Amino acid sequence: MVVPSGPAMIVRDSTVPFHRQLKTILLEQISRDGLVEGDRLWSEPQISATYGVSRSVVRQTLAELENEGVIERVRGRGTFIAGAKMDHGLTISIEGLYAQAQSLGLELTSDVLQQAVEPAAEPVSTELEVVTGCPVFMLERARGVEGMPWSHTASWIPSARVPGIEEHDFSTGSLYELLRTRYGMRFGRARRSIEAIAAPEEIARYLGVDEGAPLLRIKSVLYDIHGIPIERFIAHHRGDMSRFDVSLGSMAGEDRLAEVYVAPGSSVG
């Protein structure tokens, strides 16, 4: 590990905040020293002593560099140069994850946890607008992207609309594509709610995170073009691999909200 040393120093009477100056200096120093992915960065005390700034300024600077994906801090080990960012994104849209992954050349995997016909309980029956106890098809899957666990999803569909679907192999392929091609469904709108939660023990196990880790929970009802509910689903997505992109138009325009897959090591900002 090289101790930081360079001609650039903090300008005390500058209007530029110390942490901004330090950030520029450290980026120049990283380039000058030829540090690459996996190299250990200098410690907080070394940076503080070298550039004559407080530890709080150093911590603020390192936090910004970490948020931008330049460095990564590993508890108990230190601070390291992060890997290169990946540009691809995977959005949750009305087309479904499988179609989005294919369009981006990503490998989406599905581990089927259960698939069966069961009586509709609340709130499934209410949201699908069927009688309580009415048969519904339930599909539970753990999904992964590029070999990394990403989401846990559970879907419910009125069985009367999808006869025989419980026999289908959902370890590959797209549920939505099956609904379109085999059952002739035409999708209209979807109603969704999103909230941040702490990972329950069982979901955490499927997603490969610690219990209590941040997750994004999406609840959705998908409707056909006639406004009749097709599917109700609940999805849990890893907070460290997901973000939301929002496109806002004029009052007369159409707004869009999508969740995006963020590859490990990339910035979610």
Side-chain angles (χ1 to χ4, degrees):
M1 179 174 59
V2 180
V3 175
S5 60
M9 296 298 291
I10 298 294
V11 180
R12 302 289 165 178
D13 57 357
S14 172
T15 58
V16 179
F18 285 180
H19 74 277
R20 294 290 178 85
Q21 293 188 54
L22 182 60
K23 178 180 172 181
T24 300
I25 291 171
L26 291 183
L27 287 172
E28 292 174 350
Q29 186 72 40
I30 288 170
S31 176
R32 185 162 50 247
D33 289 355
L35 299 186
V36 296
E37 176 182 350
D39 285 346
R40 185 190 293 270
L41 196 69
W42 321 290
S43 68
E44 288 185 10
Q46 287 175 324
I47 297 173
S48 176
T50 300
Y51 297 108
V53 292
S54 67
R55 293 282 292 276
S56 63
V57 169
V58 175
R59 282 192 290 270
Q60 184 176 2
T61 303
L62 295 181
E64 287 191 10
L65 291 175
E66 184 175 32
N67 288 336
E68 294 173 8
V70 176
I71 63 173
E72 56 182 345
R73 289 183 282 187
V74 182
R75 182 173 298 179
R77 293 184 55 205
T79 303
F80 302 85
I81 303 298
K85 295 181 181 180
M86 300 176 67
D87 288 334
H88 56 252
L90 181 60
T91 61
I92 293 179
S93 72
I94 203 167
E95 295 301 314
L97 292 181
Y98 186 82
Q100 290 288 322
Q102 279 195 320
S103 69
L104 294 167
L106 300 176
E107 181 185 5
L108 181 69
T109 58
S110 295
D111 182 12
V112 178
L113 305 175
Q114 60 174 318
Q115 59 181 85
V117 174
E118 62 182 28
E122 291 288 354
V124 173
S125 60
T126 297
E127 294 187 334
L128 290 180
E129 298 178 10
V130 298
V131 177
T132 300
C134 177
V136 293
F137 171 66
M138 189 272 190
L139 175 64
E140 181 185 9
R141 291 177 289 180
R143 321 295 296 275
V145 177
E146 298 293 286
M148 290 285 290
W150 180 37
S151 71
H152 172 277
T153 62
S155 297
W156 293 264
I157 303 169
S159 291
R161 302 198 65 170
V162 287
I165 196 172
E166 66 273 12
E167 304 298 330
H168 187 78
D169 180 7
F170 286 100
S171 61
T172 60
S174 165
L175 169 62
Y176 286 179
E177 183 65 20
L178 182 71
L179 296 181
R180 277 192 293 257
T181 58
R182 180 172 170 180
Y183 296 102
M185 295 188 185
R186 297 174 63 189
F187 303 154
R189 63 185 178 88
R191 174 173 54 83
R192 292 183 175 174
S193 65
I194 304 100
E195 62 181 326
I197 69 164
E201 180 181 1
E202 184 176 10
I203 301 296
R205 185 171 68 252
Y206 290 133
L207 297 183
V209 298
D210 294 332
E211 182 179 0
L215 300 182
L216 295 172
R217 173 189 284 163
I218 303 175
K219 295 182 179 180
S220 174
V221 178
L222 174 64
Y223 299 83
D224 66 15
I225 58 172
H226 305 294
I228 300 172
I230 294 174
E231 177 212 29
R232 185 240 192 190
F233 83 72
I234 297 178
H236 294 90
H237 295 262
R238 285 177 50 163
D240 61 340
M241 295 172 63
S242 306
R243 74 169 186 266
F244 286 98
D245 283 350
V246 182
S247 294
L248 300 176
S250 64
M251 291 294 290
E254 181 180 346
D255 298 343
R256 179 179 62 83
L257 174 63
E259 188 185 9
V260 179
Y261 161 72
V262 179
S266 65
S267 172
V268 297

